[in-house]
Amino acid sequence: MADVQSAHGTGPSGLVSRVITGWALLGGLVLLAVVLMNTWSVIGNQFGKPFPGDFEMTEIGICIAAFAFLPYCQLSGANVTADIFTSGASPFWLAIFSLAASLVALAFSGLLLWRMYAGMLDQKNYEYTTAILQFPHWLAFIPILISLALLAVASIMTLAHSARQL
């Protein structure tokens, strides 16, 4: 399925592919920021100047980054697979398995999008914040919801690609 992304260089699907790739790169920048913050915290602790709330921001940053990578993994076919079971399968069966995996990813993204949105509303209504920095929890849900929406779009793209392979 690695050719799904390269097959969509132009048009709307090419734009979606570039948006998903850019979103994953932003997730990488968030991850880099978490690493730099933790480095600052460790070094700062040695000089009596720790980074307050580093555990809170690490938790939020890692979560945002992990969700940001999901659409790219779906689109590029980089999700976990059991190739040992499919190594001898015909192209037809590989397309069937890929189609089924795309359907599962679409259902998974839809379910998570629905429940995470409800969770965000709960976090906002109850005004939950982190203990040290008082960062509102619901704000972290916004990039996660965007990631899940992009995962749904990527799943639809891979589903269409698998259907064409049949």
Side-chain angles (χ1 to χ4, degrees), residues 55-139:
F55 285 100
E56 298 171 348
M57 291 296 103
T58 297
E59 180 181 86
I60 291 168
I62 294 298
C63 187
I64 289 171
F67 274 92
F69 300 144
L70 290 176
Y72 183 80
C73 289
Q74 177 65 29
L75 192 63
S76 64
N79 286 326
V80 175
T81 59
D83 292 339
I84 192 167
F85 298 112
T86 61
S87 61
S90 69
F92 172 78
W93 280 106
L94 290 175
I96 293 286
F97 294 144
S98 180
L99 188 96
S102 295
L103 281 171
V104 168
L106 182 59
F108 175 74
S109 63
L111 177 67
L112 277 180
L113 190 58
W114 169 45
R115 297 316 306 156
M116 291 292 262
Y117 180 73
M120 179 188 74
L121 293 179
D122 283 346
Q123 296 290 320
K124 188 174 182 184
N125 288 336
Y126 293 115
E127 299 178 0
Y128 286 128
T129 60
T130 60
I132 296 171
L133 297 177
Q134 298 299 303
F135 181 82
H137 282 188
W138 72 270
L139 288 175

